[in-house]
Amino acid sequence: MKTGDMIKEYTMEANLKLYDQFTGTRDAIYLIAEEKAGEFILVGDVGLNMEEKQLLADFIARSMMQSFALGYGVGKVEGKTKKQIYL
């Protein structure tokens, strides 16, 4: 199996695990995303209503979960192939 295919497979595995085995990690990501959205509002002096703030927090959380899943996939491939993977 090609390295890219392995990364894709393990990344999808990580996405599924975020909703099963790693629910605590997913919950922590949402808490951090809500804090970051609040910081953005304060520092950027931006007025957002609650719905807009939640949408921003969701965007941040999804980005963090994608990063987590990709890191998980790359880490598993590195462990399996015994070589560093550069994206």
Side-chain angles (χ1 to χ4, degrees):
M1 181 181 283
K2 290 184 177 181
T3 302
D5 293 335
M6 284 193 297
I7 291 173
K8 187 175 182 179
E9 179 183 324
Y10 291 138
T11 300
M12 289 189 300
E13 176 184 314
N15 280 324
L16 293 174
K17 286 187 175 192
L18 275 170
Y19 291 93
D20 183 31
Q21 183 178 352
F22 299 145
T23 56
T25 300
R26 188 186 79 229
D27 294 342
I29 286 172
Y30 274 110
L31 288 174
I32 293 167
E34 288 175 0
E35 288 177 13
K36 295 299 178 187
E39 287 176 18
F40 172 79
I41 292 169
L42 289 175
V43 173
D45 196 22
V46 178
L48 299 178
N49 63 34
M50 289 304 292
E51 184 179 302
E52 293 168 331
K53 181 183 177 188
Q54 188 59 49
L55 182 62
L56 177 60
D58 288 343
F59 283 141
I60 294 169
R62 287 184 187 120
S63 297
M64 292 172 69
M65 286 190 272
Q66 285 177 340
S67 296
F68 170 84
L70 184 59
Y72 177 94
V74 169
K76 291 238 349 191
V77 171
E78 284 181 344
K80 190 173 189 174
T81 61
K82 305 287 189 229
K83 63 180 181 180
Q84 286 191 323
I85 305 297
Y86 298 98
L87 299 176

